[in-house]
Amino acid sequence: MDNSFQEIKEIYNGLIEYDYDISNLMTWKIGGKVRCIVFPEDESQILKLIKYVEKNNISYYIIGKDSNILFGNSYYNGLIIYLGKKFNSFKVLEKQDGYLITCSSGISLAELGKIAKDKVLTGLEFLSFIPGSLGGAIITNAEAHKQSIGDSILNVKVIENGMIKVYPKAICEFNYRSSIFENIQDLVILSVDLFLEKGSLDEILNKMVIAKEYRLKKQPKKPSAGSVFKNPDHVAAGKLVEDLGLKGLFKGDARISKIHGNFIINENHATSEDVLYLINIIKDKVNEIYDIYLKLEIKLFNI
Ligand SMILES: Cc1cc2nc3c(=O)[nH]c(=O)nc-3n(C[C@H](O)[C@H](O)[C@H](O)COP(=O)(O)OP(=O)(O)OC[C@H]3O[C@@H](n4cnc5c(N)ncnc54)[C@H](O)[C@@H]3O)c2cc1C
């Protein structure tokens, strides 16, 4: 009998669950059971876990806040390292021309936005309504209203091939919904240095109101993972879906939102298969009619 998952408990010494229903954590509320999930609090726990799983050939996956993943409904016989719950410490240091903020990657963008607002720092106002963690935001260079997380980054500290490495911004390759980290296998973003400048409180609050109102008006409230596809050049993916008359199309409890064509919502008990079915319909139709190949913004896992 394989004891390696029970041994994780001893080497890691933190919150751990077995046969855990991951759908509880997903913003989409979709996903099956996972053999083991841990919620580390500090870097040393994460390093120990990575060394252990690599030595014992255990399959694992890093999750921030689960707001950009379609997680398959079948059983996942591996380890989930979930950073968006307890791995969220931060330090704020005043500099001559602004503030250096160093955060663990599991901190939520909402919390980060609050820290910035409280210190009257500008640069994160629009981002603070994105329901993800800082680590997840770095992976795809999260963006809203032309403000992207990469704009405020100084350095990103990661575990890569079992070693700690620091990426200065200049080599992070932050672009539209992408970064160098997207394509590196077995990478863990540990912490991030951000630099923010002093702003005006009125302007900061105003931008936050705009961001909040925009979301209330333009995005569905039902469970989703935000935009499913990256926008192709010069056109919004949601507009293509709308023009093709696909809004409202459903499979099981998954439905292409009537409010926003790039969102697929879970109306009750949608499965990963239901969502994939709709994704493929959109891809095929857009390709057939517009000769455009849509790329996924969301990540697929255990599918
Ligand atoms: C309602 C809604 C609105 C949204 N609006 C926006 C928006 O305006 N703009 C936007 O850009 N996005 C938006 N998103 C998408 C999503 O919230 C962002 O992409 C967010 O930054 C993802 O962060 P996360 O922590 O949830 O990542 P997760 O979903 O947990 O993970 C995403 C990917 O990153 C990897 N990952 C996460 N953390 C780490 C880490 N520390 N180290 C290594 N890999 C890691 C995961 O393995 C996975 O591949 C929206 C989502 C929802 C549900």
Side-chain angles (χ1 to χ4, degrees), residues 156-194:
V156 179
K157 183 164 83 169
V158 304
I159 305 176
E160 195 179 328
N161 298 323
M163 311 275 284
I164 293 203
K165 180 172 171 184
V166 176
Y167 281 77
K169 178 184 176 165
I171 60 165
C172 290
E173 296 178 15
F174 287 121
N175 286 307
Y176 168 69
R177 295 292 204 274
S178 78
S179 73
I180 195 169
F181 307 110
E182 218 182 5
N183 299 315
I184 303 176
Q185 290 289 309
D186 298 331
L187 168 114
V188 188
I189 296 176
L190 286 177
S191 69
V192 182
D193 292 331
L194 300 109

Side-chain angles (χ1 to χ4, degrees), residues 51-87:
K51 285 196 173 135
Y52 182 80
V53 290
E54 284 182 351
K55 189 167 146 225
N56 290 281
N57 261 327
I58 293 176
S59 144
Y60 71 97
Y61 189 58
I62 306 294
I63 290 183
K65 275 204 160 292
D66 260 343
S67 65
N68 211 21
I69 301 171
L70 179 61
F71 202 107
N73 277 93
S74 58
Y75 189 78
Y76 174 58
N77 188 22
L79 172 73
I80 297 294
I81 302 180
Y82 192 95
L83 301 179
K85 194 176 176 81
K86 290 173 165 267
F87 186 53

